[in-house]
């Protein structure tokens, strides 16, 4: 029998996961909400077999093999640990945590329980991301010197001032929400940061509205990114090498995929990339990994290193200090 999915919370992001599960042929057998009536209404509206009135009830459901956690950021670790304790595989929304200690505990718990745990960085599953890695590896731009990324948008106009991402108690802020993608990209291309500098602007609610960081990466490479909640939409990723650069205009959602190769002589060409649903590819990879037919593309080693980098950038920005993250591993 194939994997059966249970969804923990009625978050807006589920609107992208539900059709992706359908396209992947993965049945969504249950959804949970903190509110029983909301769970039932949500289940009925989305053709989901059961609505549970508590998150724990979803974890106790014997027909759920894989739990997708889309609760607010501050609850990711707790519900992941509980899901692992219930013997479930877990796909948890980004960012999993900005605590190395918590990431290490979750990775160890998953290994001990013999279940899979993956952080839902859907952008890592898109063919555009794989093509970028291959172009760098093939030396198309020579020796990498700089990886530069941005992800920002105007949150208040889009979702209102009471959005969970403005709440420090729920681990809101632009670094946690969108800067984490930039870090995920810099790490994918250049490895794990050795030293981190960062600055942030904090809004009325106490979370970062704008954050910019510079990272010393292995092999004499510099990583640089900015993220925010207070500007018009911006997203881009550029890998700059000794013989040119690779520019991705839509790196995270890849709605209009394509990689521009900017050569040393000024010539520009585009590597065409097919349109794909990253959320479907993410679920298919998780299901295949559970079946033992594919490696997990975003595994616990990655989740741990992501937490290490996120913790260092957060600390650097809050303390206004240069941060040297702890050794990897
Ligand atoms: N990968 C992506 O493309 C992507 C895109 C957007 C968001 N995300 C991630 O997905 C997660 C959810 O984001 P979202 O914007 O979709 O969330 P959202 O719409 O604000 O919903 C969050 C859900 O969490 C539950 N919840 C539990 N405790 C809560 C609390 N104290 N306050 C408010 N809600 C609470 C609620 O469900 P119940 O009331 O039913 O329990 C609520 O529907 C975040 O971690 C975010 O980073 C990922």
């Amino acid at each position: 029998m194939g994997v059966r999915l249970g969804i923990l919370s009625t978050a807006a992001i589920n609107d992208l996961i539900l059709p992706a599960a359908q396209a992947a042929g993965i049945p969504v057998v249950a959804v949970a909400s903190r509110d029983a009536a909301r769970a039932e209404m949500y289940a009925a509206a989305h053709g989901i077999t059961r609505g549970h009135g508590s998150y724990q009830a979803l974890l106790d459901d014997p027909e759920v093999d894989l739990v997708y956690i889309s609760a607010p950021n501050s609850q990711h670790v707790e519900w992941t640990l509980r899901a692992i304790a219930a013997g479930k595989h877990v796909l948890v929304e980004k960012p999993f945590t900005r605590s190395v200690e918590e990431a290490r505990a979750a990775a160890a718990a998953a290994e001990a329980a013999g279940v899979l745990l993956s952080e839902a960085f859907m952008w890592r599953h898109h063919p555009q991301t794989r093509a970028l890695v291959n172009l760098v590896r093939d030396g198309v731009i020579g020796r990498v010197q700089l990886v530069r990324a941005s992800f920002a948008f105007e949150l208040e106009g889009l979702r209102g001032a009471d959005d969970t991402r403005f709440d420090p108690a729920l681990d809101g802020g632009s670094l946690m929400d969108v800067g984490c993608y930039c870090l995920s990209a810099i790490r994918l291309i250049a490895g794990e940061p050795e030293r981190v500098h960062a600055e942030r602007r904090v809004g009325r609610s106490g979370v970062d509205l704008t954050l910019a960081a510079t990272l010393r990466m292995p092999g004499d490479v510099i990583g640089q990114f900015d993220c925010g909640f207070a500007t018009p939409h911006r997203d881009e990723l550029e890998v700059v090498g000794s013989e040119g650069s690779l520019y991705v205009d839509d790196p995270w959602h890849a709605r209009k995929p394509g990689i521009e190769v900017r050569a040393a002589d000024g010539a520009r060409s585009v590597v065409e990339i097919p349109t794909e649903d990253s959320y479907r590819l993410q679920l298919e990879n998780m299901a295949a990994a559970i079946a033992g037919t594919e490696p997990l593309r975003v595994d616990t080693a990655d989740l741990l290193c992501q937490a290490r980098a996120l913790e260092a950038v957060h600390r650097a920005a809050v303390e206004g200090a240069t941060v040297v993250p702890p050794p990897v591993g």
Side-chain angles (χ1 to χ4, degrees), residues 23 97 126 317:
T97 176
H126 199 279

Side-chain angles (χ1 to χ4, degrees), residues 28-322:
V28 181
V29 295
V31 62
S33 170
R34 295 164 299 167
D35 179 283
R38 185 156 59 242
E40 272 177 31
M41 270 173 50
Y42 190 92
H46 294 87
I48 300 171
T49 319
R50 277 183 300 289
H52 292 295
S54 78
Y55 295 163
Q56 187 58 47
L58 181 90
L59 305 186
D60 294 337
D61 186 332
E63 288 185 16
V64 170
D65 309 301
L66 166 63
V67 176
Y68 167 66
I69 299 177
S70 55
N73 300 342
S74 60
Q75 301 179 21
H76 290 176
V77 173
E78 176 190 348
W79 288 104
T80 292
L81 290 173
R82 289 200 195 198
I84 291 170
K88 309 297 187 190
H89 301 287
V90 179
L91 176 64
V92 56
E93 263 306 339
K94 44 54 64 178
F96 176 57
T97 176
R98 61 171 179 242
S99 157
V100 176
E101 206 178 309
E102 288 178 346
R104 195 169 281 136
E111 191 179 349
V115 296
L116 295 182
L117 166 61
S118 183
E119 187 171 14
F121 273 117
M122 81 302 181
W123 84 280
R124 287 276 190 103
H125 297 267
H126 199 279
Q128 173 172 267
T129 306
R130 270 173 281 147
L132 181 71
V133 169
N134 291 340
L135 289 166
V136 172
R137 200 170 286 157
D138 294 347
V140 169
I141 54 165
R143 193 175 142 72
V144 174
Q145 298 180 354
L146 175 74
V147 186
R148 194 179 68 74
S150 299
F151 196 170
F153 66 107
E154 216 281 298
L155 177 58
E156 189 166 337
L158 190 71
R159 296 270 293 257
D162 60 355
D163 189 88
T164 51
R165 288 170 280 191
F166 281 121
D167 189 343
L170 298 177
D171 285 350
S174 68
L175 172 64
M176 291 296 269
D177 191 46
V178 284
C180 61
Y181 285 92
C182 303
L183 262 183
S184 169
I186 293 170
R187 292 183 41 253
L188 180 68
I189 301 297
E192 304 309 327
E194 296 172 345
R195 191 166 66 220
V196 175
H197 318 264
E199 291 291 342
R200 65 179 194 161
R201 292 173 55 247
V202 174
R204 280 191 311 274
S205 72
V207 302
D208 53 286
L209 296 184
T210 309
L211 186 146
T214 305
L215 299 93
R216 178 96 217 154
M217 306 300 289
D220 204 24
V221 176
I222 296 171
Q224 197 174 46
F225 76 89
D226 66 271
C227 54
F229 282 162
T231 62
H233 197 102
R234 300 170 55 241
D235 50 8
E236 59 180 6
L237 172 60
E238 187 177 24
V239 186
V240 184
S242 53
E243 291 162 34
S245 76
L246 298 166
Y247 180 82
V248 189
D249 189 41
D250 187 7
W252 322 122
H253 296 111
R255 293 185 187 108
K256 290 185 184 158
I259 301 172
E260 191 174 277
V261 183
R262 298 174 171 178
D265 63 2
R268 294 188 174 197
S269 58
V270 174
V271 177
E272 306 285 348
I273 309 284
T275 306
E276 283 279 8
D277 177 354
S278 308
Y279 299 92
R280 175 179 59 75
L281 296 173
Q282 171 177 262
L283 285 172
E284 285 176 351
N285 176 244
M286 191 87 209
I290 290 168
T293 56
E294 260 183 37
L296 204 52
R297 206 165 283 127
V298 184
D299 60 12
T300 50
D302 193 273
L303 169 148
L304 185 51
C305 288
Q306 177 71 14
R308 173 185 178 274
L310 211 45
E311 181 180 271
V313 174
H314 179 72
R315 268 192 55 210
V318 170
E319 296 170 13
T322 298

